[in-house]
Amino acid sequence: VTQGYGSDQTVTLRSWDAAHDMALLVVGEGNQPVLHASGASAPRAGEQVYAVSGFDASGGTGGSITTGKLSDATATLLEDDARPGVAYAGGPLIDASGSVLGLDSSAYSSPAAATSPAATSVAVPIQEACAQVVVCVGGSFPSN
């Protein structure tokens, strides 16, 4: 795996779920920041969200955060108009407090997403990602 335009890193593929377009890669570097899911109520349409991706729009070595609003939120799908960086979908979709709502995807689809406008982004809700790929302690993603 290449980190930005820097050095390559060896990672371990721990698990994957092709249907949800997700994979869990383990990087052998500790002391990384910990993300948490919101301990509040479930996400709802109209909520402000932020898509985080690895590269900025100009292709630089930084990151990108784009803002938008949720247009739909179910247990298996989050739809929003915050467009993550095209080449680096897979980052977290966060709320205004920085809590993780889901994982952005450029390929995941569902029957509900098939009728969505082209400008809609899709994310797998974090608890669904936990059930499918992450295998979280206690069965759920840690909340604040």
Side-chain angles (χ1 to χ4, degrees):
V1 172
T2 300
Q3 181 178 354
Y5 290 106
S7 63
D8 290 348
Q9 293 190 24
T10 300
V11 299
T12 302
L13 174 62
R14 177 158 303 157
S15 63
W16 71 91
D17 179 8
H20 287 84
D21 185 38
M22 294 185 297
L24 177 60
L25 301 176
V26 178
V27 179
E29 185 175 328
N31 298 320
Q32 298 299 307
V34 175
L35 300 175
H36 294 279
S38 173
S41 59
R44 59 193 179 283
E47 184 175 345
Q48 188 75 39
V49 295
Y50 304 88
V52 180
S53 60
F55 287 151
D56 60 26
S58 66
T61 59
S64 174
I65 298 177
T66 55
T67 185
K69 296 223 183 267
L70 280 179
S71 56
D72 193 14
T74 70
T76 60
L77 179 77
L78 298 174
E79 292 183 5
D80 62 83
D81 60 1
R83 304 292 293 180
V86 177
Y88 287 89
L93 181 70
I94 61 174
D95 64 14
S97 69
S99 296
V100 178
L101 300 174
L103 299 177
D104 287 313
S105 175
S106 59
Y108 176 59
S109 185
S110 75
T115 60
S116 300
T120 300
S121 293
V122 176
V124 178
I126 195 60
Q127 296 303 346
E128 178 74 2
C130 192
Q132 300 297 326
V133 175
V134 181
V135 188
C136 300
V137 175
S140 65
F141 196 77
S143 60
N144 292 338

